[in-house]
Amino acid sequence: MSASRTHRSYGAVIVGGGHNGLVAAAYLARAGRSVLLLERLAGTGGAAVSTRPFAGVDARLSRYSYLVSLLPAKIVRDLGLDFRARKRTVSSYTPVERAGRPTGLLVGGGEKRTRDAFARLTGSEREYESWRRFYGMTRGVAERVFPTLTQPLPTRSELRRRVGDERAWRMLFEEPIGVAIEEGFHDDLVRGVVLTDALIGTFADAHDPSLKQNRCFLYHVIGGGTGDWDVPVGGMGALTDALADAARGAGAVLATGHEALRIDTDGHHAQVTYRTADSEVTVAARHVLVGASPQQLAELTGDTPPEPAEGAQLKVNMLLERLPRLRDTSVDPREAFSGTFHIAEGYEQLAAAHARAAAGELPAAPPSEIYCHSLTDPSILAPDLAERGFQTLTLFGLHTPARLFARDNDAVRGELLKATLAQLDAHLAEPITDCLATDADGRPCLEAKSPLDLERDLGLPGGNIFHRDLAWPHAQDGTGRWGVETRHANVLLCGAGAVRGGGVSGVPGHNAAMAVLEAGAA
């Protein structure tokens, strides 16, 4: 639908049709505002989409973002979304070789089984008791902090009072997370499994004084008030399809193939200029909500951009004819891969990988983790593929900053992919490549994306999946009431770069919509 043939003035124009932009559009349209959403790409969803990446193969993969944790049930209820997520029966499995013998740590399947797994790996129950105490602490923080994400920003002191646990506050908000991990745990593998939540999409050492790893850890353990990471039924695209339906159903105009070029505003009234395939159009708006990055927002408004962000991950999608057999025969591959499968993520391995990447070299043993969506939700596979035992694997590699790919993106990506799969193969009884399905052209069903690929495909600055470093979920100088405000009174940031942004949450979209509605009638 061409926006130039509808209104020329809107209550709100939303730039960017990712899941946050769609959340904002749905809330505002349901409140009676006239809404135009502009999306540069041919479809909505942004990084939260499902696609069939392999020619002639009916497998619908969550291509960029994989799991759901931070999406509040409130948003699903408020917008009447036809969307569900399923719990995983296993939290994680981490293979390792000890005393020349393949073994591993399986977390899940009940308390007794997890306790026994810790005892087999470490020789005592001490690490399990530490694990239970540590995650009991994080769950207590999650129960108190998560509900605040869709409320006006608390001050730091208000959030501290809400947490109500001075030891937890110190461990999570004041000291590098490495201190708590090293004080609480002794086994290198256990320490590494804990640390990984601080490093997903964040290039940092456990003891980084900036505490950006702590902020990453916090968002990874507070989701839903439990910290659980769930599988979206039907794939991540099922969520954004439901959001698009909700926005359209409420009357929002979703204009794809429309690229925003410029935002002009005096703080009270704005004009947004955008480009279509055959014209350039300017529309008026009372409010403009930007789901793109802070860098792109600055480009649109002519402001000075913030410090550039940098992504640090490798994303790999695979379709297998069968799950590979494991060297550790004590665990069924269907269990091992049904949770998060950690690879080369011991504590010292993570430190070594970070140090090497910080020195400008690819990690010798690239750390990564794998998710098998289809074990929990086989609906993403065509019935014949599911019956034949096909499975999807999505891999997220850590500590590979965008700067490493600058000299030759294709060559470095290929080198890193080879090294990453070699680390996986070290724990398999057969090479992963022997298990890959082939597409209609006979090519292996495998694709890899570097940070530079994500920047090109999705507009993520430097490939940073959070748009910039995550922020604490409390007010700081200049953050505003909702954490979405900019220096322009009627221009709001509703994407992952907002305070309390990052991850597939819809929180910035909700909060930007609330800020608009509080501002009064359009």
Side-chain angles (χ1 to χ4, degrees), residues 28 33 152 287 481-482 485 511-521:
L28 292 175
R33 306 302 168 93
H287 289 92
R481 173 171 164 79
W482 286 94
E485 293 82 356
N511 291 345
M514 296 305 106
V516 169
L517 295 177
E518 277 189 353

Side-chain angles (χ1 to χ4, degrees), residues 451-477:
L452 300 188
D453 297 324
L454 297 183
E455 182 173 45
R456 179 198 64 220
D457 295 348
L458 300 173
L460 301 179
N464 191 306
I465 62 174
F466 304 135
H467 291 185
R468 60 179 169 184
D469 289 342
L470 293 165
W472 295 113
H474 58 66
Q476 299 180 66
D477 290 344

Side-chain angles (χ1 to χ4, degrees), residues 337-416:
F337 284 102
S338 65
T340 299
F341 192 106
H342 296 281
I343 307 157
E345 289 191 332
Y347 197 68
E348 293 302 323
Q349 286 177 306
L350 289 166
H354 178 267
R356 191 172 172 99
E361 300 177 9
L362 287 176
S368 63
E369 41 201 59
I370 286 178
Y371 319 102
C372 182
H373 187 131
S374 51
L375 282 171
T376 303
D377 172 32
S379 73
I380 64 171
L381 298 173
D384 66 306
L385 297 182
E387 290 171 8
R388 291 158 58 190
F390 280 52
Q391 302 288 353
T392 64
L393 288 187
T394 48
L395 180 148
F396 190 104
L398 282 64
H399 286 338
T400 55
R403 71 192 82 157
L404 300 181
F405 299 85
R407 61 177 173 84
D408 189 333
N409 185 45
D410 291 343
V412 174
R413 186 200 318 108
E415 181 182 350
L416 179 62

